[in-house]
């Protein structure tokens, strides 16, 4: 697709706009960017002329974003962030013959994938790995990843999904909390402090239903939006949590967490390795896919 150069603004102009919007001042923006106030003012004026809209309004010796400016600002920040990421990835791989860019779920990446990467790099020395967290499917055309690790169903636009592993969760808690409650059977947890992953609020209700408990009280308790937060809260003794065993291997081994009841439950979804259609033949990506398959049970 041929791009229209007339519609592509200079990055420095976008930086001037973002900086002025953040400070509410052309003068402070100029100080941060090491420019003169008149230079920043000229860049903003050129951008307004290119867009055909007024981006700032003057109010009591300050500049404030107009309605059009408020709509434009998030897109500018996103573009600047993507530009910086692109440059950093290129620089990190500049001295390497091979690089691999992976998108992964945050807790899966930090607790399961990262500790295993040395084994992969030992097999493929000289490889540079770039790992970024993504919690939901994205457009591979807009974000340049070689592959992604996805939890859910094997559905991703313009990409191929291959099964990696299922997810099995079980109740866990700190040893101190277990001593306080003296639980004898699963239904005893109905009155205990529960903790939830905000994106999967029905897990406790499903577990109680599977283990003969009541579901009426299964939704109460603390909520966290990442498994990593739930794990740390469980270690701190805030409550009982349903956690994937593979994410708490270290805590179980060290005794910081203990299994409450050995009643595992397989969740409805699974983990998949996702590769964009245009990178299916990438040799390093193929090697990683073969290697990671050997790391799961």
């Amino acid at each position: 697709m041929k791009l229209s150069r007339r519609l592509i603004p200079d990055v420095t102009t976008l930086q001037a706009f973002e900086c002025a919007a953040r400070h509410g001042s052309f003068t402070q923006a100029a100080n941060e960017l090491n420019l003169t106030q008149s230079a920043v003012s000229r860049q903003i004026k050129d951008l307004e002329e290119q867009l055909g809209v007024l981006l700032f309004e003057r109010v009591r010796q300050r500049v404030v974003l107009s309605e059009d400016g408020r709509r434009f600002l998030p897109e500018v920040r996103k573009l600047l962030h993507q530009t910086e990421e692109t440059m950093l990835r290129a620089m990190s791989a500049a001295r390497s013959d091979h690089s691999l860019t992976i998108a992964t779920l945050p807790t899966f990446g930090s607790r399961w994938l990262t500790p295993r990467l040395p084994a992969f790099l030992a097999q493929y020395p000289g490889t540079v790995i770039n790992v970024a967290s993504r919690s939901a499917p994205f457009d591979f055309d807009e974000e340049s990843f070689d592959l992604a690790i996805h939890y859910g169903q094997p559905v991703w636009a313009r990409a191929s999904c291959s099964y990696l592993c299922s997810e099995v969760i079980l109740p866990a808690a700190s040893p101190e909390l277990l001593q306080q409650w003296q639980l004898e059977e699963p239904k005893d947890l109905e009155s205990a402090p529960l903790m939830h992953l905000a994106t999967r609020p029905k897990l406790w209700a499903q577990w109680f239903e599977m283990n003969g408990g009541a579901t009426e009280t299964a939704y109460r308790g603390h909520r966290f939006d990442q498994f990593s937060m739930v794990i740390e809260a469980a270690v701190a003794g805030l409550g009982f949590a349903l956690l994937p065993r593979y994410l708490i291997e270290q805590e179980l081994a060290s005794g910081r967490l203990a299994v409450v009841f050995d009643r595992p439950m397989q969740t409805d979804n699974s983990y998949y390795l996702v590769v964009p259609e245009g990178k299916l033949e990438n040799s390093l990506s193929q090697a990683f896919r073969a290697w990671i398959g050997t790391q799961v049970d």
Side-chain angles (χ1 to χ4, degrees):
M1 181 180 67
K2 185 178 179 180
L3 300 176
S4 174
R5 296 183 63 183
R6 182 179 63 84
L7 296 177
I8 302 177
D10 191 290
V11 171
T12 57
T13 300
L14 296 180
Q15 287 178 314
F17 166 71
E18 190 281 330
C19 195
R22 180 160 33 88
H23 288 293
S25 166
F26 289 177
T27 301
Q28 292 185 44
N31 291 336
E32 179 177 321
L33 299 171
N34 199 26
L35 298 171
T36 63
Q37 191 271 349
S38 60
V40 171
S41 181
R42 166 52 61 182
Q43 288 178 320
I44 299 300
K45 183 177 180 182
D46 289 345
L47 184 58
E48 289 176 330
E49 290 177 353
Q50 185 177 14
L51 295 171
V53 298
L54 187 68
L55 295 173
F56 290 95
E57 298 172 349
R58 291 192 175 275
V59 178
R60 297 177 183 176
Q61 306 301 315
R62 296 187 74 249
V63 289
V64 297
L65 286 171
S66 66
E67 187 64 33
D68 288 315
R70 284 193 290 272
R71 284 195 293 266
F72 189 48
L73 181 60
E75 297 300 324
V76 169
R77 284 176 171 160
K78 179 181 177 182
L79 180 59
L80 290 174
H81 178 68
Q82 289 176 339
T83 301
E84 182 181 48
E85 279 194 333
T86 299
M87 290 298 293
L88 290 172
R89 282 199 298 266
M91 291 166 66
S92 70
R95 296 175 181 266
S96 173
D97 294 331
H98 305 285
S99 65
L100 194 64
T101 304
I102 304 167
T104 180
L105 298 154
T107 309
F108 185 94
S110 64
R111 288 181 162 263
W112 188 90
L113 177 62
T114 302
R116 289 168 170 80
L117 285 179
F120 175 76
L121 294 175
Q123 294 182 36
Y124 298 90
T127 298
V128 172
I129 299 288
N130 298 302
V131 181
S133 62
R134 294 292 185 275
S135 298
F138 53 86
D139 190 340
F140 277 107
D141 291 336
E142 294 183 1
E143 300 198 58
S144 183
F145 286 100
D146 296 309
L147 50 88
I149 296 172
H150 163 62
Y151 174 81
Q153 295 296 314
V155 178
W156 197 303
R158 297 182 298 281
S160 173
C161 299
S162 56
Y163 175 81
L164 185 60
C165 61
S166 61
E167 182 183 67
V168 176
I169 59 175
L170 73 177
S174 69
E176 294 78 13
L177 190 66
L178 276 175
Q179 287 183 359
Q180 292 177 29
W181 282 84
Q182 299 294 315
L183 305 169
E184 295 183 1
E185 52 185 338
K187 68 178 183 179
D188 293 339
L189 280 168
E190 294 172 12
S191 58
L194 305 179
M195 296 191 298
H196 306 266
L197 184 66
T199 54
R200 303 198 220 165
K202 298 180 180 179
L203 288 182
W204 272 114
Q206 294 168 350
W207 189 86
F208 277 129
E209 186 175 0
M210 187 182 81
N211 289 282
T215 60
E216 289 79 6
T217 60
Y219 298 96
R220 56 182 173 70
H222 305 299
R223 279 173 163 69
F224 303 87
D225 72 352
Q226 297 289 341
F227 262 136
S228 58
M229 295 181 184
V230 180
I231 293 169
E232 291 303 318
V235 169
L238 291 185
F240 296 87
L242 284 171
L243 297 167
R245 183 186 287 272
Y246 68 86
L247 291 183
I248 55 173
E249 293 170 342
Q250 294 181 6
E251 285 77 12
L252 292 176
S254 66
R256 297 173 70 205
L257 286 179
V259 174
V260 182
F261 294 107
D262 193 12
R263 302 285 186 93
M265 179 181 76
Q266 184 167 321
T267 58
D268 295 335
N269 295 313
S270 299
Y271 287 91
Y272 296 88
L273 205 59
V274 186
V275 182
E277 292 175 346
K279 297 185 178 181
L280 289 170
E281 303 305 317
N282 181 293
S283 60
L284 189 57
S285 176
Q286 290 178 339
F288 183 85
R289 283 143 55 193
W291 168 81
I292 200 172
T294 69
Q295 301 299 304
V296 295
D297 295 331

